Amino acid sequence: MNKYFSNINHIPFEGSDSTNPLAFKYYDENKIIAGKKMKDHLRFAMSYWHTMTGQGQDPFGSPTMERPYNDLDGMDLSKARVEAAFELMSKLSIGYFCFHDLDISPEGKSLQEKYDNLDIIVDLILEKMNETGIKCLWGTTNAFSHPRFVHGASTSPNANVFAFAAAQVKKAMEITKKLGGENYVFWGGREGYETLLNTDMGLELDNLARFLTMARDYAKKIGFTGQLLIEPKPMEPTKHQYDFDASTVLSFLRKYNLQDDFKLNIEANHATLAGHTFHHEIYTSRINNALGSIDANQGDLLLGWDTDQFPTNIYDSTLCMYEVLKKGGIAPGGLNFDSKVRRGSFQSDDLFISYIVGMDTFAKGLLVANNLLVDRVLEDFISNRYSSYNNGIGKEIIDGVTDFEKLADYALEHDQIKNVSGRQELLEDIVNRYIYKS
Amino acid sequence: MNKYFSNINHIPFEGSDSTNPLAFKYYDENKIIAGKKMKDHLRFAMSYWHTMTGQGQDPFGSPTMERPYNDLDGMDLSKARVEAAFELMSKLSIGYFCFHDLDISPEGKSLQEKYDNLDIIVDLILEKMNETGIKCLWGTTNAFSHPRFVHGASTSPNANVFAFAAAQVKKAMEITKKLGGENYVFWGGREGYETLLNTDMGLELDNLARFLTMARDYAKKIGFTGQLLIEPKPMEPTKHQYDFDASTVLSFLRKYNLQDDFKLNIEANHATLAGHTFHHEIYTSRINNALGSIDANQGDLLLGWDTDQFPTNIYDSTLCMYEVLKKGGIAPGGLNFDSKVRRGSFQSDDLFISYIVGMDTFAKGLLVANNLLVDRVLEDFISNRYSSYNNGIGKEIIDGVTDFEKLADYALEHDQIKNVSGRQELLEDIVNRYIYKS
Amino acid sequence: MNKYFSNINHIPFEGSDSTNPLAFKYYDENKIIAGKKMKDHLRFAMSYWHTMTGQGQDPFGSPTMERPYNDLDGMDLSKARVEAAFELMSKLSIGYFCFHDLDISPEGKSLQEKYDNLDIIVDLILEKMNETGIKCLWGTTNAFSHPRFVHGASTSPNANVFAFAAAQVKKAMEITKKLGGENYVFWGGREGYETLLNTDMGLELDNLARFLTMARDYAKKIGFTGQLLIEPKPMEPTKHQYDFDASTVLSFLRKYNLQDDFKLNIEANHATLAGHTFHHEIYTSRINNALGSIDANQGDLLLGWDTDQFPTNIYDSTLCMYEVLKKGGIAPGGLNFDSKVRRGSFQSDDLFISYIVGMDTFAKGLLVANNLLVDRVLEDFISNRYSSYNNGIGKEIIDGVTDFEKLADYALEHDQIKNVSGRQELLEDIVNRYIYKS
Amino acid sequence: MNKYFSNINHIPFEGSDSTNPLAFKYYDENKIIAGKKMKDHLRFAMSYWHTMTGQGQDPFGSPTMERPYNDLDGMDLSKARVEAAFELMSKLSIGYFCFHDLDISPEGKSLQEKYDNLDIIVDLILEKMNETGIKCLWGTTNAFSHPRFVHGASTSPNANVFAFAAAQVKKAMEITKKLGGENYVFWGGREGYETLLNTDMGLELDNLARFLTMARDYAKKIGFTGQLLIEPKPMEPTKHQYDFDASTVLSFLRKYNLQDDFKLNIEANHATLAGHTFHHEIYTSRINNALGSIDANQGDLLLGWDTDQFPTNIYDSTLCMYEVLKKGGIAPGGLNFDSKVRRGSFQSDDLFISYIVGMDTFAKGLLVANNLLVDRVLEDFISNRYSSYNNGIGKEIIDGVTDFEKLADYALEHDQIKNVSGRQELLEDIVNRYIYKS
């Protein structure tokens, strides 16, 4: 386990005074916070695609990533990546990984060959899992890269493509089960449209529901008990994705009576592309009992595409962990770094540095969030703010024992209203101070 | 009926060769299109707020609008505006109007005085309606301008505000009924948040549902049989509005089991602020059986606020009318010009010119859309594109008689997939040519 | 000096452990940082408009601000605001203020009356300045709110408006001089266009240059020696402002040979509306020798309008102060809080709290920035990164002693290029750690 | 010349009633408009990269394009593409092409091999040019795709990269000259930054100026007399490009005294990404005497990346041609279709259809624009709107014979100002009607 990144040792925790780029400053995996180990709060996962398969290409440029297995290809490359992945996770004390089928083995010339390739690599991964104790957070299928999916997968106008996508999900679910995956994710890569002029949106959405219904049924049939998760994204690659944001997905699930079967995998950068904060999307999911897992990354709010940067913004990680703590923990989901090193951070040690930075950002965010909750600085402010609903007319509203006529009578007698300040600036400052002091 | 805009005559239809700014070039109200009069397809409405009450102020400037009643105030002003409104609608052959309570009469010092003011003006309006045959498309309440609503109305943290808002809606619904209004609209002016740091989003959304449930019940109780409509908007005035877009509202309605009681009022500029095309939001509403009415205006896609411009974009009006025709008509909803003259278009004749421009844009859009539908240029392309779902494996998918195992078996045998072009450029050109030729 | 905010005492510095909302935690005005007092680094200014004149209205709502002088009007109100302003600044230890003519006294029925009103209030302000030692950072005129400026001021199609604007700037410059103002600011409120269809953009820009040239000449004539500053903004109130961003203004100044006479006043929220970070705009100004002063506020990157929020983002204040320190100080400019309390923060103590929060955010930012610079963590990284320009072919490029032919010969021999990582993630983490530890 | 697209014949002009996808409806190349042939107004060019080299990959998907030369590679592929390109241009009556060095021949293992490859293909292209009469509108180099340019080309922190980029431009300029190219374009592919934390922006901009100065000198030395053009773009691939928009480039050119040597190549989609309309950027360039050429495409204003779609929006093409006509023609520039078929339009006939659609959109735009100008509907409105500058105080302003004191005296006597409406809605309607009727 020291073959590909031999110049990097196991990453130690050195504390907040360390300036060693290859050490944790905040992530102390066994430290107890709110009665639980940091690692159990955070449940960090490596994303196989960005970390192992990503090569740094962009719409205007070729691969840049310098990797020790760059000279390999085919199954040899896939095997090398498995070893490198487990070496990296071990050295970084990352407990989980997430993957697409296509990340781990080659497409093949036929569907059967694809299956066969997968089986070989899955066995190798299982071996490594047993060796290291690292687990699978979730699996998924890539039903968007191959040209067959140019017009969508389950929403393709071509029924053969629907069938092919079903075959892929079936296999991906089977191997996820085999690997003990705790979740299975659906990200609707090209489930959307480029132009409504050529699209039967009603049929496509019905087909998406048919597909997910069959997926749920197949999971039950094979005894896969992990969470099924849908990952919202508003656009990219298509002009308009069907799973635009958390509320859009919830609307869809409720329409097709799938709301008890699927939860959400919320990604920071997808939230902001949809015009929401990361916090908003997590909060929305939580209060709809639909927060399943988190894709930890960050975007650039001045850019209109998914940059999938490693998360370094302490505000975002704090508010994310605040919601996670309020929910009582993210398990069986986790924090998957759906993050890629910047194209200019092409050295192998950048991979390690970036994971450390991301993990420290969330570890620090956990500390800040926990302190905020323990001190109840926000919670008390809020419960006081809404206290008029605890009795009198407010309680009648909550209890459903009033109506417009009674309320109007009440209002006629109480029409000189006194509000109090919302104190936004003060609350923002409190968060700042907890960041500085935690 | 020639008192306030005496230099403007009744606006005639002069046909497409006219260059008279005060004539219709395309809107020929009694012309039959697809078996129905243009005016019955379009059901145009005047927005009382922008047209009568709006004064041209913006965040950086004072009122600019030159109006013949600018020297009046209080109830005198309100009465003058009623007369002016009906004069304007009559001259423009606009058959409907939409209003907020606060548009038509002054706030008053007490809730009772507000009610009393409303009663006086409503009687005057009724008189004018009888005189002219003009009808009420929808009424609503303004529960966002007064400082009592600074933190929301039904989502205020202050229960007295909830009660006050209920009293307002109760009254507004009563007067809408009295005026024969065919719809009642809920636009969640400040139903949203400025910061999640001070917000109990779960409670606020529950309260919003409680409020709408009581509103529905009250409508039933008083025998108001018009459509109840919710109008999505993503932001502004608040940082984040709860009724973000069509899907968000549908999700909310389904969660609280209100989906059979409320439909949607889709506004063009709100759609684009939410990251969707106008077409998308109308289409989404239609296929969810929720398209209730339309707010016809347009925004500026390079600006991030609601500019509520009079609609002049022929692409947007064409695709809007395309959906309306596919739905079989917009009634009992209509096309309400939630549009304001630009601050620099401050002369009274700009009001007339702008309505003419907006009405012509939609009349032309209707002609183009109808021709597209009659010729089935898009419809045939689409039905052919999805024809693989008409038989074989596709039909089994639609009929729900297959599953992942059967589909995987099928895919193993049909894994060399042939797609066909989506032809986006060609279809965009076809729309262009129908615009030029209709 | 304890008349309007009598429940608020002088705001003390209590240090970072304080939880008193009415105390500074980081802003210790006389603390020496890098050889200079904090107050001399920061040169904080109160914005008269947002603080004294702003009432909390927005496009959808009426004023909300509860102020002790709300029952006054006309000159009485103006006088009360002067007293309140100096009370507030004194209690907050704010050393400077910024103002528009229209903030401090009423418009009047005629230009002469406007002048007369100004003279009365300016004398009162002078008195208060002498009493308190508070100074004027900059003055300006409001040439955008009155309807006469509906189509612009110096870029109006109406020459009389150009003349009126000149009369306003002349007077505003005179009173700024009388008050010892260290700068005079030009913000092109409506210098822009709503639609190019009615606009002669060439003429309007020429007229803007003519106007600024005359302004510069008049400043020289009366011996006003303060900096003349242009404040970029991309949009709002107009669809497109001529002073879009720093580069656009620099282009304009260079075209009309005004680059030695005007510097820039950079505002955070205007930067982001133009698609740049605050840091980018300050940096761009600095390297063009054009950084004059700063409007300290923040926007919401998910909203498309100028929210002018009090600054609480520590990343932004750190990078701002980093550039200010690199420039060697912001004087004769300063940090003007062009910030308004949120509409829901309508109590008078919110004014104090918000200023404290803003001042602490920048004081902390100064500490972080100074530590970064003292330790040279970014500076050394950067100078090392570009070290290839210190000798050999790199030095020849810098020294201008090479050409394409020589370079091509060199490249033919050195065509196997080795780059090194840009280390973005590591550098972002370093900034985080300096924030946590400073 | 009928080898690769043998199922497509020469594209005829069939007039506006044609429904043949493979015929022009508006582009009648020899039709005389305003005294000049349509083809001489429009000077259409094929973009070699999108048309010949583009394969339909995107950040989430593999190539989709079905091309008759897909089974070739290396120099064989390059040669086949030359033949296919000229066949396509000939069949489409496109008179010009634009290219990057890397579009036409392979990178090679060394710089010398790259040169050699280019020489072979350039000779082949010359042959085809002579055979067909098709000309080169402009050439350029690709200094952004290869990993050596990961941190920029002339703005790289690595001096060897600067030298390599110089060698590329030198060669590209030589072959552009050899091909009789009428322009040479600089698009700053990665001339920008990913993060300011690792960037010396001052040095990078100085180096960019040094590079362009040497480029200009080399052009003079070899007698290349074509226009040198800079193409603005705000972002993508880098987080922030130095050539943000027209004004930013003009500012840069003026700073480094290059304004007489470089003009601008304006691209529609780049304009909108920078927050401007296409019209604004062309207009800005024109009035700064800097409009050099045009990249004709369109973006999606709801998406934040460069979609480079074939232009189908008639508003944009009309206003573009309006500016071109006002300038007196675009030569020696032209209209280059920097447009790619949508990923879903992957058939070879989509290439033809899309060019036809784009060419027809601009041909129709030319007709509309010319009619607007001939009738002077906008011109007369505008000249009347600014008529106050033709005499009296307005003329004194224009003539520079007044000052602030005289203007203030004038304003004191003329302070009751009367403005007139800007008529935006009316003018938008006029454009609509010219579109319908032209």
Side-chain angles (χ1 to χ4, degrees), chain A residues 109-112 115 147-151 153-164 166-167 169-170 193-205 207 210-211 214-215 218 221 235 239-240 244-245 247-248 250-252 254-255 274-277 279-280 283-284 287-288 319 378 381-382 385-389 393-394 397-400 402-405 407-408 410-412 414-424 427-428 431, chain B residues 109-112 115 147-151 153-164 166-167 169-170 173 193-205 207 210-211 214-215 218 221 235 239-240 244-245 247-248 250-252 254-255 274-277 279-280 283-284 287-288 319 378 381-382 385-389 393-394 397-400 402-405 407-408 410-412 414-424 427-428 431:
Chain A
K109 297 282 184 198
S110 67
L111 180 53
Q112 188 58 55
Y115 282 0
R148 76 174 67 89
F149 301 116
V150 63
H151 299 312
S154 68
T155 64
S156 171
N158 182 342
N160 282 9
V161 176
F162 184 108
F164 201 102
V169 170
K170 176 176 173 291
Y193 60 82
E194 293 299 334
T195 173
L196 287 172
L197 297 180
N198 70 13
T199 302
D200 185 338
M201 186 158 63
L203 175 60
E204 293 203 359
L205 284 162
N207 279 353
R210 290 177 181 116
F211 190 90
M214 286 191 254
Y218 189 68
K221 177 159 189 182
M235 64 206 46
K239 182 252 183 312
H240 200 291
F244 193 83
D245 59 8
S247 291
T248 303
L250 290 169
S251 178
F252 170 87
R254 285 164 179 154
K255 178 175 182 182
H276 310 295
T277 59
H279 190 193
H280 173 89
Y283 197 154
T284 294
I287 63 177
N288 281 283
L319 295 170
L378 302 178
F381 182 90
I382 289 173
R385 191 172 184 231
Y386 292 85
S387 59
S388 68
Y389 288 98
I393 191 76
I397 291 165
I398 302 293
D399 292 344
T402 186
D403 60 25
F404 268 22
E405 284 161 307
L407 287 167
Y410 178 89
L412 281 162
H414 300 81
D415 62 355
Q416 303 305 314
I417 284 172
K418 177 73 186 158
N419 284 307
V420 294
S421 168
R423 299 287 194 213
Q424 178 170 345
L427 298 169
E428 290 179 0
V431 173
Chain B
K109 297 283 184 198
S110 66
L111 179 54
Q112 188 58 55
Y115 281 1
R148 76 175 67 89
F149 300 117
V150 63
H151 299 312
S154 67
T155 65
S156 171
N158 183 342
N160 282 9
V161 176
F162 184 108
F164 201 102
V169 171
K170 175 176 174 289
M173 212 176 251
Y193 61 81
E194 292 298 335
T195 172
L196 286 172
L197 297 180
N198 70 13
T199 302
D200 185 338
M201 186 157 64
L203 176 61
E204 293 203 0
L205 285 162
N207 279 352
R210 290 177 180 117
F211 191 90
M214 287 191 253
Y218 189 68
K221 177 159 187 180
M235 63 206 47
K239 181 248 183 317
H240 200 289
F244 194 82
D245 59 8
S247 291
T248 304
L250 290 169
S251 177
F252 170 89
R254 285 164 179 155
K255 178 176 183 181
H276 310 294
T277 58
H279 190 193
H280 172 88
Y283 196 153
T284 295
I287 62 177
N288 281 282
L319 294 171
L378 302 177
F381 182 90
I382 290 173
R385 191 173 184 231
Y386 293 84
S387 58
S388 68
Y389 289 98
I393 191 76
I397 291 164
I398 301 293
D399 292 345
T402 186
D403 59 26
F404 268 21
E405 284 161 305
L407 287 167
Y410 178 89
L412 281 162
H414 300 82
D415 61 356
Q416 303 306 314
I417 285 172
K418 176 75 185 158
N419 285 306
V420 295
S421 168
R423 298 288 194 212
Q424 178 169 343
L427 297 170
E428 291 179 1
V431 173

Side-chain angles (χ1 to χ4, degrees), chain C residues 22-39:
Chain C
L22 292 169
F24 293 113
K25 288 91 190 171
Y26 292 92
Y27 183 57
D28 184 7
E29 60 174 343
N30 292 312
K31 180 170 177 177
I32 303 294
I33 304 291
K36 212 157 70 176
K37 291 181 180 173
M38 263 198 169
K39 69 178 174 186

